[in-house]
Amino acid sequence: MPLTVGVIGPEDLVHKVVAVADRAGSARLLPLPYRHEDETTEVVAGARSRADALLFTGVVPHALADAAGALDRPAMYVPYNGATLLRALVELLRLGHDVSRVSIDTLRREEVLETMAEAKLPTDRVRVLPYRPGLTSADIVDFHLDARDTKKTRVAITCLGSAFHVLEQHTHAVRLAPSRHSILATLQALVLDTAGRHSGDAQVALGIVDLPPGTGVDARLPEDIRVLGGSLAELPDGRRLVVTTRGVLETATERFTRIPFLDALAARHGSAHVGFGLGRTAAEAEALARRAVGRARSVGPAAGVVSLVDDVDIVIAPDSPADAGAGGESAPAPWPESPALLARRVGLHPNTLDRLRELAAADGDTGVTAHRVAEHLSVQQRTARRILKRLERAGVAVPTGSREEGRTGRPPIVYRVLL
């Protein structure tokens, strides 16, 4: 049965994306238009039982849904790139407009200037407003009108439909639309990602709970593991075996960043080690689980490890503040072959890595803290700390010290993020 992909955006762009993507035949397309981008979260919620994945017609609705925590399934957005801008500039030239005096929103400044330089167009009077989380339609309109009034720009080029409808009443405005190539490439990537996740979600996950010798039966353990929706059995050596699926485990552990019952286990028994194995067969998963729990014992008195195929181990430290930033971890894993592999290895969405890359570039040599990551990704600081620790274990974040920021308590750790 083909996957169902919900297409979210303004009505005209949704119809364009559906018309282009339908010809690919790789998924069933479900149009989910909105009248204004402020309705994005509501539209996403309404598609919960009808779509396996979500394809957004641009970065703005995707960012709004992501910030609201509404992306509970695979989701991507169709990018607006330099080729899209070049096509618009050529059309403006054909109509006799001065393309050396334009204001452009959403696209990255570097991409705009590079595109215009390659077309041998002057860039000294070009104004660019890159997209950032929290940017509103009113902000975009104000940017273009201010550029017109103070910088004497002649044409406003916007990627946001609601901004275009306002701008066209005040100045000459052009609305960018995603290219056919961008639509098809993004849909193909989304379908492959969704199919991979669906097959992975059904993968057997086996876990071993290792408690100190002489502990005896822990009557509360069945209640602890209920969050994993699995079953509990006893191994011949007295350790407990947890049987669940990868999808449930990934959700319960917040993409392999925490084990919800690890702190409670360690508090009751003094130490606790949990190892999960994700393999192609039950035998492989059990072998990986044994490797994982052995690795967890080497980390500290309380730790969890998720072991994947290809010798990938994800170390999960306890939630308690006393263990935050503790040593004892193994050397960082080598740099992965691609950003997609890095995303998989650290358990983060590729879009999250892209946003972290933007943050690292913006902060430059000053480094980033959990507070900055939390603000940039719109997540809690505890989640941001876990993300940074995961990047540190992957070898792409290096703690460089701490920073006094005028707050009480322990100064935050500063990381140099190498993305």
Side-chain angles (χ1 to χ4, degrees):
M1 184 175 180
L3 296 172
T4 298
V5 175
V7 182
I8 298 177
E11 187 171 9
D12 57 340
L13 291 188
V14 166
H15 290 326
K16 174 180 179 177
V17 169
V18 170
V20 170
D22 257 342
R23 299 170 192 159
S26 55
R28 187 174 72 89
L29 282 303
L30 175 66
L32 298 169
Y34 55 64
R35 289 169 296 183
H36 191 279
E37 61 269 8
D38 290 346
E39 301 172 359
T40 299
T41 304
E42 181 182 343
V43 172
V44 170
R48 188 151 291 150
S49 62
R50 297 188 291 158
D52 300 301
L54 300 174
L55 179 62
F56 293 84
T57 62
V59 62
V60 175
H62 179 276
L64 291 172
D66 191 21
L71 298 183
D72 57 353
R73 72 206 65 198
M76 295 183 183
Y77 63 86
V78 182
Y80 293 74
N81 52 32
T84 305
L85 173 62
L86 185 59
R87 189 172 64 244
L89 293 173
V90 170
E91 180 63 17
L92 286 170
L93 280 171
R94 191 181 68 81
L95 296 174
H97 291 283
D98 182 359
V99 295
S100 67
R101 296 187 175 188
V102 294
S103 53
I104 303 169
D105 63 61
T106 304
L107 298 180
R108 293 183 298 109
R109 178 176 177 81
E110 296 80 5
E111 189 170 35
V112 170
L113 298 183
E114 181 180 345
T115 298
M116 299 192 71
E118 288 182 354
K120 301 190 184 316
L121 295 172
T123 59
D124 55 315
R125 296 187 180 182
V126 174
R127 298 295 175 264
V128 183
L129 178 67
Y131 180 76
R132 63 177 186 275
L135 196 67
T136 67
S137 177
D139 293 332
I140 290 174
V141 169
D142 288 344
F143 158 73
H144 286 290
L145 295 182
D146 181 68
R148 180 200 63 181
D149 296 338
T150 61
K151 307 299 181 182
K152 307 303 181 185
T153 56
R154 299 286 186 260
V155 181
I157 301 177
T158 181
C159 297
L160 196 61
S162 58
F164 172 76
H165 294 311
V166 176
L167 288 168
E168 66 177 347
Q169 301 176 31
H170 302 279
T171 188
H172 188 82
V174 174
R175 182 181 173 197
L176 291 184
S179 67
R180 181 178 182 277
H181 171 75
S182 295
I183 293 170
L184 293 177
T186 307
L187 176 64
Q188 182 183 28
L190 179 59
V191 169
L192 289 174
D193 181 50
T194 306
R197 291 200 198 187
H198 280 195
S199 61
D201 284 349
Q203 189 177 19
V204 174
L206 297 182
I208 295 176
V209 179
D210 187 16
L211 300 176
T215 297
V217 177
D218 186 335
R220 295 171 61 181
L221 186 56
E223 180 66 25
D224 287 338
I225 71 155
R226 183 173 296 178
V227 67
L228 300 178
S231 59
L232 193 64
E234 187 172 348
L235 292 170
D237 58 9
R239 296 185 295 184
R240 309 293 281 179
L241 178 70
V242 181
V243 183
T244 183
T245 63
R246 176 175 182 146
V248 175
L249 178 65
E250 193 165 350
T251 300
T253 59
E254 298 178 15
R255 297 186 66 81
F256 309 141
T257 60
R258 61 184 296 264
I259 295 178
F261 50 85
L262 181 58
D263 274 334
L265 272 179
R268 293 200 298 269
H269 303 288
S271 68
H273 302 99
V274 181
F276 283 97
L278 306 177
R280 289 170 285 249
T281 66
E284 185 180 45
E286 183 177 351
L288 290 170
R290 292 183 183 278
R291 184 183 86 188
V293 78
R295 171 81 187 277
R297 285 197 299 268
S298 71
V299 171
V305 171
V306 178
S307 288
L308 313 177
V309 293
D310 303 323
D311 294 326
V312 175
D313 288 344
I314 300 174
V315 180
I316 305 173
D319 283 338
S320 56
D323 292 311
E329 296 171 9
S330 63
W335 181 264
E337 296 179 1
S338 68
L341 179 58
L342 173 62
R344 176 186 171 190
R345 183 155 64 86
V346 299
L348 296 175
H349 194 282
N351 288 340
T352 301
L353 286 182
D354 286 342
R355 294 178 65 185
L356 288 169
R357 186 179 294 109
E358 293 172 358
L359 175 62
D363 284 9
D365 296 333
T366 62
V368 301
T369 63
H371 179 69
R372 287 283 291 127
V373 171
E375 283 186 336
H376 192 69
L377 299 182
S378 300
V379 298
Q380 294 183 352
Q381 285 204 50
R382 187 172 70 172
T383 301
R385 282 193 292 269
R386 291 194 191 106
I387 289 173
L388 287 169
K389 292 301 292 182
R390 296 289 291 280
L391 294 177
E392 182 184 353
R393 295 183 189 112
V396 292
V398 180
T400 59
S402 59
R403 177 184 300 161
E404 297 289 346
E405 295 187 341
R407 295 192 296 269
T408 58
R410 186 170 57 184
I413 298 173
V414 180
Y415 288 85
R416 183 163 57 97
V417 178
L418 310 172
L419 292 174

